Amino acid sequence: MKTASKIKDRKAASSQVASWHTQGLSVVFTNGCFDILHLGHVDYLERARQLGDKLVVALNTDASVQRLKGPERPIVNEASRARVMAALGFVDLVVFFDEETPKELIEALQPDILVKGGDYTVETIVGADFVLKHGGKVIPLPLIDGYSTTTFVNKIKLNDKNL
């Protein structure tokens, strides 16, 4: 499968997830900026995929990342982030969201399992109430210590000042 074919707009993503549900497949959903993909991301996403049959990754648009992280982010633009994400064998679908949270997208796609990093609790995961109400599961996954995009960006900035 070509990586670009895994990247869908909201309507096509909704149709794809509905098709998977019709086939009896369980759909795992997670979201994030995933700016500068690193081992922490890969480990997290791989473990998320192991929880179900298909993994949907919702990516913040560039504008959304800027609102969350500031004007210097994202480092990598949304088209590039989506292609890299889609290239991961355990990612089945990539879809963008521009809203402050992925709540509307979660409600549209109706995943069976909602996953976020262990820095969240079930109570603080956006969309958890909807997924639980519809019989799904919400799972915070532990993160690998020392791996975050912000840490890498700060390390790069520190090294740049020493040149």
Side-chain angles (χ1 to χ4, degrees):
M1 170 183 272
K2 292 185 178 181
T3 58
S5 69
K6 291 184 180 180
I7 304 165
K8 311 245 185 234
D9 63 24
R10 192 171 295 219
K11 183 178 178 182
S14 187
S15 293
Q16 180 63 72
V17 171
S19 174
W20 288 335
H21 281 144
T22 299
Q23 296 170 48
L25 301 173
S26 62
V27 177
V28 180
F29 177 101
T30 194
N31 68 281
C33 301
F34 298 103
D35 195 10
I36 306 180
L37 194 65
H38 54 71
L39 176 62
H41 291 141
V42 172
D43 180 76
Y44 165 78
L45 292 167
E46 187 173 31
R47 286 184 289 125
R49 174 59 168 73
Q50 291 171 353
L51 297 170
D53 299 310
K54 298 290 183 178
L55 176 61
V56 175
V57 177
L59 285 179
N60 292 76
T61 61
D62 288 349
S64 174
V65 174
Q66 286 180 347
R67 290 191 303 270
L68 285 169
K69 307 282 186 178
E72 293 182 356
R73 299 279 297 275
I75 303 298
V76 179
N77 69 50
E78 64 189 51
S80 298
R81 288 184 289 122
R83 282 293 300 277
V84 169
M85 188 64 57
L88 298 173
F90 41 80
V91 172
D92 298 290
L93 189 147
V94 178
V95 59
F96 290 106
F97 71 100
D98 191 53
E99 299 83 7
E100 185 176 327
T101 73
K103 183 179 186 301
E104 291 176 21
L105 185 56
I106 291 166
E107 292 176 0
L109 300 182
Q110 301 182 11
D112 303 291
I113 303 163
L114 177 59
V115 177
K116 282 298 281 181
D119 48 341
Y120 289 86
T121 63
V122 171
E123 296 77 28
T124 60
I125 296 174
V126 170
D129 54 346
F130 177 85
V131 172
L132 291 170
K133 180 180 170 185
H134 289 85
K137 297 177 186 174
V138 179
I139 303 171
L141 289 177
L143 300 174
I144 299 177
D145 288 337
Y147 286 90
S148 79
T149 302
T150 301
T151 300
F152 287 119
V153 168
N154 290 338
K155 187 173 183 178
I156 291 166
K157 285 180 179 178
L158 180 64
N159 287 335
D160 187 42
K161 291 177 183 176
N162 293 328
L163 294 178

